[in-house]
Amino acid sequence: GHSIYQVDSKGKSLLVIGDLIHVAAVQLPHPRVAIRFDSDAKAAVAERLRVFGDSAQQRVLVGGAHLSFPGLGYLNKQGDGYDWVPLDYGAL
């Protein structure tokens, strides 16, 4: 039941992960944690592991509503989980 969109432009990608993650503080370091909103917990965990792993390995920019401001950043592999590195932002 997760919606994931990949936007490609000029050789770069943005992966918008929607509800693949609900509680970043828990599910980034422990991506095997499923919560009630994962209607199929086993499939949700498998997809989270696949997408997180691919995103970290390929260094793809990730965006999501349940991620810390600015909601755009990168995943780094940290042990059995992942660390969130938000995109730098500033005044234009």
Side-chain angles (χ1 to χ4, degrees), residues 61 67-74 84-92:
L61 182 62
L67 298 168
S68 298
F69 182 84
L72 295 169
Y74 296 92
W84 174 246
V85 180
L87 195 64
D88 287 335
Y89 64 93
L92 298 174

Side-chain angles (χ1 to χ4, degrees), residues 72-83:
L72 295 169
Y74 296 92
L75 296 174
N76 288 332
K77 183 79 171 128
Q78 293 289 325
D80 291 334
Y82 297 85
D83 184 40

Side-chain angles (χ1 to χ4, degrees), residues 2 4 6 8 17 21 35 45 48-49 51 55 69 77 84-85 89:
H2 300 132
I4 300 171
Q6 182 170 326
D8 297 308
I17 60 172
I21 186 171
I35 64 173
V45 167
R48 195 164 21 258
L49 290 169
V51 171
S55 297
F69 182 84
K77 183 79 171 128
W84 174 246
V85 180
Y89 64 93

Side-chain angles (χ1 to χ4, degrees), residues 13-24:
S13 296
L14 166 65
L15 196 65
V16 182
I17 60 172
D19 283 336
L20 181 65
I21 186 171
H22 305 282
V23 184

